[in-house]
Amino acid sequence: GAGVSQSPRYKVAKRGQDVALRCDPISGHVSLFWYQQALGQGPEFLTYFQNEAQLDKSGLPSDRFFAERPEGSVSTLKIQRTQQEDSAVYLCASSLARQRLHEQFFGPGTRLTVL
Amino acid sequence: KQEVTQIPAALSVPEGENLVLNCSFTDSAIYNLQWFRQDPGKGLTSLLLIQSSQREQTSGRLNASLDKSSGRSTLYIAASQPGDSATYLCAVGRNYGQNFVFGPGTRLSVLP
């Protein structure tokens, strides 16, 4: 079956531009996560949704980062006024269960480069 | 704050060797631990998930162990193959919150 998909796969933005990154989770998966992965490092948690509710956004690095999942399926991560330090791979993961920390399935990521 | 480290950072072995990758975490109050592999330019592929009440999980040539009290997990790969070349990440699920805390990864190269 289809896995987690993300688009675009690559995004180049000029500093100060706004960007929107999309995640399509596995159908029926209740939980959705966003992570940021800098080069040579492990992913770092950004935010978590259970259906349409954003239950944890403690990892968002600044108020320039905003995520939504209005219908409990597709999610969008928006970064306003991008800065060079925002350059990273943004990974989306989904999980079937409401129970805490069920196995997570990851998408291929969006590589964002801010010039 | 939970911190996760992985040793070694990089490893190069000839094909056929058995090898062990190490993961350490500072807070032993974990919910579970998951091992992933990541190929260049790709997302993460789940390998094994160990619940906190378990001591090990096996899948094919892979075996992952968990020792909560010492804050350690190991991933054992038997009879390594060039196709095993990838970055291996361990991720610790905390007792609170929903997300995993990841280590920096071990970059494995298996030479033919």
Side-chain angles (χ1 to χ4, degrees):
Chain A
V4 179
S5 61
Q6 294 185 244
S7 61
R9 291 294 313 278
Y10 304 91
K11 177 68 178 178
V12 178
K14 292 182 179 179
R15 190 173 57 184
Q17 281 186 333
D18 298 348
V19 298
L21 313 179
R22 176 187 170 107
C23 172
D24 284 80
I26 295 172
S27 179
H29 277 200
V30 169
S31 298
L32 185 145
F33 305 79
W34 283 98
Y35 292 86
Q36 179 190 60
Q37 185 175 25
L39 188 64
Q41 298 183 21
E44 292 196 0
F45 170 76
L46 294 176
T47 187
Y48 159 69
F49 291 85
Q50 187 177 102
N51 295 308
E52 69 278 4
Q54 188 175 21
L55 298 186
D56 187 348
K57 54 182 182 179
S58 61
L60 296 176
S62 77
D63 58 7
R64 296 186 295 105
F65 287 70
F66 172 77
E68 61 182 4
R69 194 186 185 198
E71 298 179 358
S73 178
V74 172
S75 177
T76 304
L77 176 66
K78 298 179 179 178
I79 309 174
Q80 298 177 325
R81 305 181 302 282
T82 52
Q83 303 294 315
Q84 285 187 323
E85 61 263 28
D86 300 335
S87 296
V89 175
Y90 290 85
L91 295 166
C92 175
S94 71
S95 175
L96 176 61
R98 285 184 178 83
Q99 292 88 341
R100 275 186 305 126
L101 299 173
H102 199 267
E103 185 177 9
Q104 295 187 16
F105 297 86
F106 281 77
T110 294
R111 180 177 298 278
L112 173 65
T113 302
V114 181
L115 303 177
Chain B
K1 177 185 174 184
Q2 177 73 274
E3 294 184 0
V4 182
T5 56
Q6 291 185 247
I7 294 174
L11 180 63
S12 184
V13 300
E15 181 177 4
E17 274 202 7
N18 302 325
L19 56 98
V20 175
L21 307 181
N22 297 289
C23 172
S24 298
F25 45 95
T26 55
D27 186 351
S28 61
I30 69 169
Y31 191 75
N32 56 17
L33 185 146
Q34 192 166 358
W35 282 93
F36 295 87
R37 70 173 279 169
Q38 185 172 31
D39 294 281
K42 302 280 182 67
L44 279 65
T45 300
S46 177
L47 298 173
L48 291 164
L49 174 68
I50 310 176
Q51 302 297 340
S52 61
S53 58
Q54 298 174 319
R55 292 197 60 89
E56 66 177 336
Q57 281 283 345
T58 298
S59 176
R61 294 182 295 108
L62 305 179
N63 175 277
S65 67
L66 174 63
D67 185 344
K68 273 180 51 178
S69 60
S70 66
R72 293 179 183 175
S73 176
T74 61
L75 179 67
Y76 175 83
I77 303 177
S80 58
Q81 303 170 359
D84 295 331
S85 298
T87 296
Y88 289 81
L89 295 153
C90 75
V92 173
R94 304 174 299 166
N95 268 345
Y96 54 93
Q98 293 288 341
N99 61 290
F100 286 97
V101 179
F102 281 82
T106 293
R107 190 171 65 255
L108 173 65
S109 296
V110 180
L111 306 175

